Structure formats: structure tokens, C-alpha cells
Amino acid sequence: MKATRNTMQRSMVLAAVKELRCHPTAEEVYQAVHAKHPAVSKGTVYRNLHLLAQLGEIRCVAMPSGADRFDFRTAPHCHIRCESCGRVFDAEMENPDAIGRQAQFPQGFVLHGCDIVFRGICPDCDKNNKNMEE
């Protein structure tokens, strides 16, 4: 990939992802940037999120049946999405890339990596569900 200029808008978007620390959607990042810098457009935020992911400065985590999330942690790790509230959390796994070496792929397929997203219920939602049952 050719070198790109580091623009002020890109720096704002990166700072927002790092400050939010919650695996935000593009819309959540836009809202955070827009609150501080109302002149920055939604398109600018979305383009810069995807460029930052291409550059490896953040990760874009595709969510099955949901909006992509953005993660400031770029080292290999997994995620878990709460099926009740939709929040996304880090899920630590020893050597998540090893799963790719265990999988059987069609002949000639070149693996570039994997994103693993587990599903479950977060402790807050589980607690709320139990309180409602009582």
C-alpha cells in the first residue's frame, strides 16, 4: 500500500476509537468525533475508519448480523458479542491464529488470517435477566 498523508481528520478518528475503547460502530465513532468537531462529515469518518484498518492502525471486526466494529487493539485476539445488548468484548485465546492451521481449506486456498466472534450473554444482561425472573 502506498504511503498516505496523516490528516487531522484521520488523527481525530483514531483518537475517538482509542478513547471509546468499546469496539464502537462507525456511527458511534462519528458521534464521538462530531461532538468535538461538528464540521467533520460522516463520510470523512467512515472513509478514515476503513483507511486506518487498511493501514493496520485499528482493526475492523465484521459482526455477523450487525454493524462492523472497530478495535484499537491490533494484536491477534478474539471477540464475544452479547446477544442481548449487542456490546462486544475482547475474548482472550492463546494463539488464535493456530485455528487457521487446524482448519481444512480447499486446495490452493491462501489463508490471510481469521476473526473469531463468539456469541453469548454478558454478565450485566445475565444479571438483569435473572433479576426479572425473580
Side-chain angles (χ1 to χ4, degrees):
M1 172 173 278
K2 73 177 193 175
T4 60
R5 290 185 312 121
N6 188 16
T7 65
M8 183 179 292
Q9 290 91 347
R10 191 169 320 131
S11 296
M12 287 185 238
V13 170
L14 180 59
V17 172
K18 288 181 176 181
E19 288 170 15
L20 289 169
R21 302 183 68 87
C22 65
H23 302 89
T25 63
E27 180 63 26
E28 290 168 332
V29 174
Y30 167 70
Q31 292 298 330
V33 171
H34 185 73
K36 292 181 181 178
H37 308 280
V40 177
S41 74
K42 189 178 281 195
T44 296
V45 170
Y46 281 49
R47 275 190 305 279
N48 279 289
L49 280 169
H50 291 286
L51 180 59
L52 287 164
Q54 286 178 340
L55 294 171
E57 294 187 44
I58 61 174
R59 282 178 69 180
C60 179
V61 182
M63 287 289 134
S65 64
D68 289 352
R69 301 301 186 105
F70 295 89
D71 194 347
F72 69 94
R73 284 185 59 199
T74 57
H77 65 284
C78 303
H79 295 92
I80 185 165
R81 182 177 183 270
C82 178
E83 294 177 314
S84 182
C85 68
R87 288 185 298 167
V88 176
F89 303 86
D90 290 331
E92 300 305 328
M93 174 184 266
E94 189 173 314
N95 199 4
D97 289 334
I99 290 172
R101 291 189 295 274
Q102 297 171 11
Q104 301 285 323
F105 298 106
Q107 178 99 19
F109 201 96
V110 178
L111 181 66
H112 291 164
C114 64
D115 288 315
I116 299 169
V117 180
F118 295 97
R119 297 182 321 272
I121 302 295
C122 74
D124 291 341
C125 290
D126 187 49
K127 181 178 164 186
N128 289 340
N129 289 340
K130 288 179 181 169
N131 287 340
M132 294 177 95
E133 293 171 1
E134 293 175 356

